Structure formats: structure tokens, C-alpha cells
Amino acid sequence: MQVAKRKLVKVGGVAIAAFLLLWIIGRLFAWGSCSWYGYQTNRDTRYAAFIGCLVRVDQQWIPRNELRVLQ
């Protein structure tokens, strides 16, 4: 019984670690994509973890996916 419990805890720990690693890789990709967008369009950009890519328009930071509404 004790061995099965240890194995379950080990598998759970590995699953959580894999999930966190994939999440971090996804955030790094999103940050790089935001930075690349700013470089290509010659605009000021910054990445906010829970909002996404922000672009400076008229002294305001606007989410990149809402730029079409403003233009």
C-alpha cells in the first residue's frame, strides 16, 4: 500500500512539473512574439502575464488584440 502511494505522489509531482514547464515555455513564446511584433511595427510593446501583449497608442497601453477596434 505504501509503495503505491509513493508512486502516485511521484507521478503527480512529475505531472505538475511538466505542466509548469509547458506553461513557462508558452509564456516565453508569447513574450517573444510580443517583442517581435513591436520590432516589426516599430511600436512600443510590453508583455503583461495575464493580459497579453500591450501596445502603446496615444500615451495609453492597449491590448494588441483590440488594436483593430481603435484603428
Side-chain angles (χ1 to χ4, degrees):
M1 188 73 170
Q2 198 70 308
V3 175
K5 199 174 198 180
R6 284 185 189 164
K7 187 174 182 180
L8 184 62
V9 168
K10 187 182 276 190
V11 168
V14 168
I16 290 172
F19 174 77
L20 286 175
L21 181 65
L22 289 174
W23 183 79
I24 290 170
I25 290 171
R27 294 301 94 206
L28 287 173
F29 180 76
W31 173 78
S33 158
C34 184
S35 178
W36 182 251
Y37 174 79
Y39 173 75
Q40 284 183 323
T41 59
N42 201 21
R43 292 181 171 181
D44 291 332
T45 59
R46 68 179 179 187
Y47 182 75
F50 299 105
I51 298 172
C53 188
L54 298 171
V55 180
R56 179 170 249 165
V57 177
D58 298 330
Q59 302 302 319
Q60 295 178 357
W61 290 101
I62 307 293
R64 179 178 161 196
N65 59 353
E66 293 181 15
L67 277 180
R68 227 176 229 186
V69 176
L70 296 175
Q71 294 174 349

